[in-house]
Amino acid sequence: MLRSPTGLEDGLVAEMGSLVAEIEQSGVAVWIRESGVLYGYPLILFLHTFGLSTLVGLSSAIDLRLLGFASGIPLASLDRLFWLMWAGFALTAATGVLLFAADATRHASNPAFLVKLVFVLLAVTMLALTWTRVFRGQHSGRILAALSLACWFGALSAGRLMAYIAEFIS
């Protein structure tokens, strides 16, 4: 990173580190991490996985349909699945924030976490574009579908690799 004469970047990095440490030491984060109860970390992780599988599973089904698989299924009938995907996204995002808070320092310093967030942002953008341009417009959506599948694959892979990359940066 280029350094400015004022050391502004150093100050921002220090403040971000301080903020991440505060998040990790919050009461909720400590409880999630240290309570040892089934309705703590294990339940939050289960709900995160459930929301993610709902979101990615339905999104992938629509993407595959847009790419020509199961062409006997009317595309219009899949429109009603979008509310369920957005609900899955909301659940995944909420539980993801809690999981991040429980181990914020480690996640914030893990490059795979940043890669995961970028892919999730791109995949959710593809989802929104699919809804507006394909289901509300007249576009075929083939390119959006291919990009969506690639982004979800990237997000899931980066998320899974977070644990292994953390070993190398600790």
Side-chain angles (χ1 to χ4, degrees):
M1 174 189 306
L2 295 174
R3 304 248 185 237
S4 70
T6 62
L8 181 61
E9 290 85 7
D10 290 338
L12 287 174
V13 169
E15 280 194 40
M16 286 300 292
S18 175
L19 176 62
V20 168
E22 280 186 48
I23 291 170
E24 189 172 76
Q25 294 308 314
S26 69
V28 171
V30 170
W31 178 82
I32 292 168
R33 187 175 57 250
E34 298 177 8
S35 68
V37 295
L38 189 58
Y39 54 87
Y41 190 89
L43 178 62
I44 294 168
L45 185 60
F46 168 77
L47 292 174
H48 188 71
T49 304
F50 180 74
L52 187 63
S53 62
T54 300
L55 170 60
V56 177
L58 292 175
S59 179
S60 296
I62 289 173
D63 292 339
L64 290 171
R65 169 58 184 84
L66 289 172
L67 290 171
F69 293 91
S71 57
I73 298 173
L75 192 57
S77 69
L78 301 175
D79 184 48
R80 62 184 142 181
L81 297 176
F82 277 87
W83 75 268
L84 194 54
M85 287 186 286
W86 289 118
F89 174 68
L91 179 61
T92 302
T95 54
V97 167
L98 293 173
L99 292 170
F100 174 81
D103 206 359
T105 304
R106 191 175 70 162
H107 292 320
S109 65
N110 190 332
F113 180 70
L114 180 59
V115 170
K116 172 187 169 179
L117 290 182
V118 168
F119 274 122
V120 168
L121 175 66
L122 292 171
V124 170
T125 301
M126 294 305 116
L127 180 64
L129 288 172
T130 299
W131 188 70
T132 58
R133 293 187 178 176
V134 176
F135 285 84
R136 300 290 175 260
Q138 297 300 317
H139 297 281
S140 74
R142 292 178 66 83
I143 293 172
L144 287 173
L147 289 172
S148 174
L149 287 170
C151 289
W152 284 126
F153 178 78
L156 293 171
S157 298
R160 189 63 201 118
L161 289 172
M162 283 172 53
Y164 302 103
I165 300 217
E167 291 178 18
F168 294 107
I169 61 174
S170 301

